[in-house]
Amino acid sequence: MNLSAELDRWLPAPTRELLTRIGYCAAQKGYRACLVGGAVRDLLLGESSLDLDIVIEGDALDIARSFGTSGNPAPVLHERFGTATLTSGSFRVDLATARKESYHSPGALPSVHPGSIEEDLLRRDFTINAMAIRLGTERHGELVDPYGGRGDLQHGLLRVLHEASFKDDATRILRGVRYEQRLGFAFEKSSLELLARGLLYVRSISGDRLRHEIEHMLAEREPEHMLRRLDTLGVLAAIDESLSFGPGQFEAFRHAKANQLSAVRLESVLWCVLGWGLDKERLASVATRLNLPGRLLGPMQDSFALRVFEADLDRPGLRPSDVVGLLCDKSIVSLSAAELLYGHPLARSRVSLYLTHLRHIRPALDGRILRELGFVEGPAIGSALARLRVARLNGEVGSREQEVEMAQRILAGGPGTDS
Ligand code: ATP
């Protein structure tokens, strides 16, 4: 099968030409170049992918070095990894040497040797990602599909390439769930059985690698389906027995996405939702297992406190200043999660009110004005400002003039206002 027409259709002319030139450059040196992996899968699905992985049967760095000196854009070399990167408009083109791998123990990094394109494809996660397209020369556009990837793609199946696949690298379980939910595919029967047996090996995967896989999911369009599936398959429990993802979290994820948060904030909110059910000890164990960075762990710890506050926030008769007192030291991210997850409408509406309104309320007077009114420099000013803020929040003062009157009462040693 020849996919030149698909390449023409899905890649802009400069990027296509770049790939062809890489193919010719490889041929001149007696090597062969292929487009591989996700880009081939997406091309066959009628989509384009911005990440183009090229595998060289030969030496990728050798190609990259001479490619840059022949009037082509110069690739950035990553000598340590034996890879190189080029950019073409919004496309990123990565060059790597074809390799074969062997795993000495589950989850460990494999030992790697140069290999053929077929061997390189064999080390991949699923057959749909184990196809290649030849570049340059007279075989340009020819599909290399030694493991039946195209058939599986047509039937919507995720199939591992060999029985030990999940044992060698259990992150493939999470990758598989991501593709299953993203593409609306299903695990092929025996691959699903292997997945169930492979759960045992999730423990061999480092926290950083597992967290990266979860991060990849959170960046997808519908991460809630992926996490729900991880839960039902027992993958979350295999990561840490206290992790789960129930219908409440599912709904919260859906609503969080509708809130038009920046990507970074959305990701943090989603982590808070994921960790919502965890108590302090369990959160600590998940944090250790996934090596969670402080920027995520801090809001997740706040979320734990907020869960405890839900009953307090649901009490009738709370004043706005009481709400502020409970919420003022919690991160906005954790509050956004609480707003999504609280079951009690009154508590939820108070968090919303805090986020949209109460947290911005400040007295009109500031320290400088209080000094002008006669306050001496020191803690008295801070405490007067705090009392003014409470009065503002609770509607006991509504104008600058009323604040000045209140400040003068405080200065005179009077009660200021009921607070
Ligand atoms: P996505 O659309 O999610 O980015 P992709 O296929 O481009 O998909 P990458 O993570 O960029 O995914 O990986 C590129 C290719 O490398 C994959 O298509 C797959 O062939 C291979 N690969 C990546 N991770 C693994 C893994 N853990 N085990 C085996 N092969 C892998």
Side-chain angles (χ1 to χ4, degrees), residues 9 86 116 164 171 245 317:
R9 178 147 174 235
L86 280 154
S116 65
T171 63
F245 194 79

Side-chain angles (χ1 to χ4, degrees), residues 247-267:
Q249 288 159 300
F250 181 92
E251 282 308 315
F253 258 53
R254 282 163 60 112
H255 288 121
K257 289 186 315 181
N259 281 355
Q260 306 206 324
L261 304 170
S262 70
V264 174
R265 178 165 294 179
L266 178 64
E267 192 208 346

Side-chain angles (χ1 to χ4, degrees), residues 197-399:
R197 279 186 261 148
L199 290 178
L200 186 66
Y201 300 101
V202 169
R203 80 160 87 100
S204 67
I205 303 297
S206 74
D208 285 337
R209 291 190 70 209
L210 286 173
R211 195 183 69 255
H212 283 143
E213 290 304 331
I214 296 174
E215 282 164 359
H216 282 311
M217 286 187 176
L218 297 184
E220 295 266 347
R221 223 158 38 89
E222 296 196 315
E224 63 275 20
H225 290 280
M226 299 169 185
L227 283 153
R228 191 86 189 102
R229 183 72 167 138
L230 288 185
D231 191 31
T232 51
L233 284 171
V235 186
L236 288 183
I239 294 173
D240 186 290
E241 59 181 13
S242 58
L243 265 184
S244 64
F245 194 79
Q249 288 159 300
F250 181 92
E251 282 308 315
F253 258 53
R254 282 163 60 112
H255 288 121
K257 289 186 315 181
N259 281 355
Q260 306 206 324
L261 304 170
S262 70
V264 174
R265 178 165 294 179
L266 178 64
E267 192 208 346
S268 309
V269 172
L270 296 182
W271 275 103
C272 288
V273 175
L274 178 59
W276 186 250
L278 303 174
D279 64 23
K280 249 187 188 146
E281 287 71 35
R282 288 176 180 157
L283 178 56
S285 113
V286 168
T288 308
R289 177 64 185 103
L290 294 177
N291 196 19
L292 289 178
R295 77 178 164 85
L296 297 176
L297 184 57
M300 289 170 85
Q301 283 164 336
D302 283 350
S303 300
F304 169 71
L306 285 171
R307 242 183 45 190
V308 177
F309 287 169
E310 182 171 2
D312 296 322
L313 285 163
D314 199 44
R315 280 202 327 264
L318 276 194
R319 293 172 312 169
S321 62
D322 299 326
V323 174
V324 171
L326 283 169
L327 304 183
C328 64
D329 64 343
K330 300 292 171 272
S331 60
I332 301 301
V333 163
S334 64
L335 289 161
S336 305
E339 189 186 18
L340 294 164
L341 283 152
Y342 274 177
H344 294 100
L346 184 57
R348 193 166 52 234
S349 69
R350 282 176 169 151
V351 173
S352 303
L353 184 70
Y354 175 80
L355 281 170
T356 54
H357 185 58
L358 296 181
R359 72 188 168 105
H360 303 297
I361 292 184
R362 296 277 180 281
L365 306 189
D366 58 19
R368 186 183 57 80
I369 300 172
L370 289 185
R371 275 194 300 277
E372 282 170 15
L373 288 173
F375 278 81
V376 252
E377 189 72 53
I381 291 191
S383 119
L385 284 173
R387 288 173 70 180
L388 286 169
R389 185 171 185 218
V390 165
R392 259 286 172 187
L393 282 163
N394 295 340
E396 290 151 0
V397 292
S399 68

Side-chain angles (χ1 to χ4, degrees), residues 28-59:
Q28 276 169 1
K29 287 182 172 282
Y31 303 151
R32 287 192 296 186
C34 287
L35 181 66
V36 294
V40 179
R41 174 200 70 218
D42 290 346
L43 215 65
L44 284 164
L45 286 171
E47 292 163 24
S48 78
S49 157
L50 293 177
D51 286 330
L52 304 175
D53 291 326
I54 295 187
V55 158
I56 307 289
E57 284 177 292
D59 182 348

Side-chain angles (χ1 to χ4, degrees), residues 36-42 49 51-53 94 101 103 120-126 128-131 161 165 169-173 175 178-179 182 209 213 216 220:
V36 294
V40 179
R41 174 200 70 218
D42 290 346
S49 157
D51 286 330
L52 304 175
D53 291 326
D94 284 310
E101 288 179 349
Y103 287 82
D120 190 280
L121 295 176
L122 185 59
R123 73 186 174 85
R124 289 169 188 270
D125 47 4
F126 300 99
I128 61 164
N129 287 339
M131 292 179 276
L161 285 127
S165 185
D169 179 356
T171 63
R172 292 171 186 163
I173 294 177
R175 290 178 62 84
R178 185 154 58 86
Y179 293 124
R182 184 209 286 172
R209 291 190 70 209
E213 290 304 331
H216 282 311
E220 295 266 347

